[in-house]
Amino acid sequence: MIQAFNLHKSYGGVAPALMDVSFTIQDGEFVFLTGQSGAGKTTLFKILFGWESVDRGQVIVDRINVGKLNESNLYTLRRKIGVVFQDYKLLPKKTVFENVAFAQQILGADRKTIRFKTWDALKNVGLTTKKDSYPPQLSGGEQQRVAIARSLCMNPRIMLFDEPTSALDPEMIKEVLDVMIELAESGITMLVVTHEMGFATAVGDSVIFMDEGEIIEQNSPKEFFNNPQHERTKLFLSQIL
């Protein structure tokens, strides 16, 4: 479960990055976070993952108060959370297999466990035939699937996706979305920043719309798209649909 209570974050500018942000994501829910660039989505992600602190408010992730953790305990929490970015963050001089195995090696897992979990993760994202390839030899969709496999090896309870398809060509988007749908069906709690509105409608449990650091609206995908309650939501949807 992810809970945010009255989050406020400012970087010293005219307007705060987050203003009184509150929401709850239940275990196993697939929630979409959307809004214009600069709405505060990435800042919120960093706070959930413990990369940023808040000025006011509380974040509870997997029943742990993130703001009260020291660096060692934050590291332990992050092992429960898989994070996938739009730019993959792969190591170009390591093979696909080595990229997926790398974090496990850092944590001191034994070789047998690493081999099993890495192979299983690559099988889950359909990339076993690419295990000896290097990231520059892969398509964008394949690289993103490697990044997802790398996160899955940590057995995360929660997955955070920060615009995972925004850097992909249209023909590569479906292969990544298909993997994410399989993850959602496995019961992992997922929060996804995306503008893939059709994807949100098809598989999402809830949509959160942010604008200028605030949550303007949160509803089921059907209600969000068919019956938006706020004028700012209606304007946003008119620009992207």
Side-chain angles (χ1 to χ4, degrees), residues 25-221:
I25 299 175
Q26 300 291 343
D27 291 341
E29 277 196 308
F30 196 157
V31 177
F32 289 85
L33 180 62
T34 194
Q36 301 283 13
S37 178
K41 305 184 300 294
T42 299
T43 296
L44 180 57
F45 255 50
K46 290 179 178 178
I47 289 170
L48 296 177
F49 198 55
W51 281 351
E52 293 272 5
S53 61
V54 292
D55 300 329
R56 296 195 303 273
Q58 286 187 330
V59 176
I60 310 296
V61 176
D62 200 23
R63 299 167 181 80
I64 297 170
N65 190 328
V66 177
K68 293 186 176 182
L69 297 180
N70 58 31
E71 191 62 33
S72 175
N73 289 333
L74 266 176
Y75 187 71
T76 301
L77 173 67
R78 289 169 184 160
R79 290 171 60 180
K80 299 181 180 181
I81 304 173
V83 182
V84 178
F85 301 93
Q86 57 183 292
D87 57 354
Y88 324 130
K89 298 190 183 299
L90 301 180
L91 301 169
K93 295 185 178 180
K94 289 186 178 292
T95 66
V96 165
F97 192 93
E98 290 168 339
N99 264 280
V100 176
F102 186 68
Q104 300 170 77
Q105 293 168 345
I106 294 296
L107 293 173
D110 63 83
R111 290 185 179 181
K112 184 177 180 180
T113 298
I114 291 173
R115 286 197 301 270
F116 174 80
K117 292 178 72 173
T118 300
W119 184 259
D120 192 53
L122 289 175
K123 183 170 65 175
N124 285 338
V125 300
L127 285 177
T128 54
T129 60
K130 299 286 185 177
K131 67 182 181 64
D132 295 321
S133 299
Y134 291 87
Q137 299 172 316
L138 304 177
S139 70
E142 289 169 338
Q143 290 186 61
Q144 192 60 288
R145 284 190 281 153
V146 174
I148 294 172
R150 180 180 56 195
S151 290
L152 289 178
C153 279
M154 308 309 292
N155 297 322
R157 293 174 59 86
I158 296 167
M159 290 284 289
L160 307 178
F161 291 84
D162 189 7
E163 301 196 26
T165 61
S166 66
L168 301 180
D169 294 333
E171 64 269 20
M172 299 176 187
I173 291 174
K174 184 179 184 299
E175 64 188 73
V176 174
L177 297 184
D178 286 346
V179 170
M180 293 172 65
I181 290 172
E182 290 183 14
L183 290 180
E185 292 172 347
S186 76
I188 295 177
T189 304
M190 296 173 64
L191 178 61
V192 182
V193 173
T194 185
H195 290 295
E196 297 291 334
M197 296 296 102
F199 181 48
T201 302
V203 301
D205 294 304
S206 178
V207 178
I208 298 173
F209 169 59
M210 292 186 68
D211 190 34
E212 297 182 352
E214 298 178 281
I215 290 181
I216 304 302
E217 193 162 335
Q218 180 174 6
N219 216 327
S220 69

